[in-house]
């Protein structure tokens, strides 16, 4: 019914970025090598933050579904039976 998200494009981008960082690590410049370490740490932070936000979003969605179901059940109980007007005129 539901297909998992296709992450092929993002996976390729991430591998390409990590390969580029590995190449930059070979530079003699200390600033470049330090920047590579910082970039890797930042990527890990972003991954963790993304996972945390996805978990938070899933939790909120579950809560809202429960509230909606409870609201619909309460509304169904409180609803009065519908009166059907046949359009007849009694005089």
């Amino acid at each position: 019914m539901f297909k998992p998200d296709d992450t092929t494009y993002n996976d390729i981008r991430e591998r390409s970025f990590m390969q580029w960082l590995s190449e930059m690590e070979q530079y003699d410049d200390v600033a470049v090598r330090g920047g590579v370490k910082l970039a890797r740490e930042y990527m890990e932070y972003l991954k963790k933050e993304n996972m945390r936000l996805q978990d938070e979003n899933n939790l909120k969605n579950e809560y809202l579904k429960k509230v909606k179901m409870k609201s619909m059940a309460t509304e169904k109980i409180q609803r009065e039976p519908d009166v059907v007007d046949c359009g007849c005129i009694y005089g």
Side-chain angles (χ1 to χ4, degrees):
M1 186 170 180
F2 291 105
K3 292 191 281 185
D5 294 337
D6 184 16
T7 60
T8 306
Y9 176 74
N10 287 334
D11 292 342
I12 291 170
R13 279 182 41 193
E14 182 180 350
R15 278 186 259 129
S16 175
F17 181 67
M18 290 302 174
Q19 182 180 359
W20 179 77
L21 285 178
S22 295
E23 291 171 7
M24 291 294 108
E25 232 173 8
Q26 305 306 317
Y27 272 61
D28 294 332
D29 190 0
V30 175
V32 172
R33 288 190 310 227
V36 168
K37 180 182 178 191
L38 185 64
R40 287 179 196 231
E41 290 172 357
Y42 187 61
M43 284 292 292
E44 286 301 313
Y45 164 77
L46 290 176
K47 284 181 187 177
K48 288 178 185 176
E49 184 68 9
N50 191 12
M51 290 298 294
R52 185 188 69 79
L53 291 173
Q54 286 177 352
D55 291 342
E56 185 179 316
N57 188 34
N58 290 336
L59 182 64
K60 286 180 183 179
N61 286 341
E62 289 175 25
Y63 173 75
L64 290 174
K65 283 180 187 177
K66 288 178 184 178
V67 169
K68 182 179 179 181
M69 295 301 277
K70 186 176 180 180
S71 173
M72 289 174 62
T74 304
E75 182 180 301
K76 188 175 184 179
I77 292 171
Q78 294 177 349
R79 192 178 346 157
E80 295 181 25
D82 295 328
V83 177
V84 178
D85 183 11
C86 65
C88 302
I89 300 175
Y90 297 103

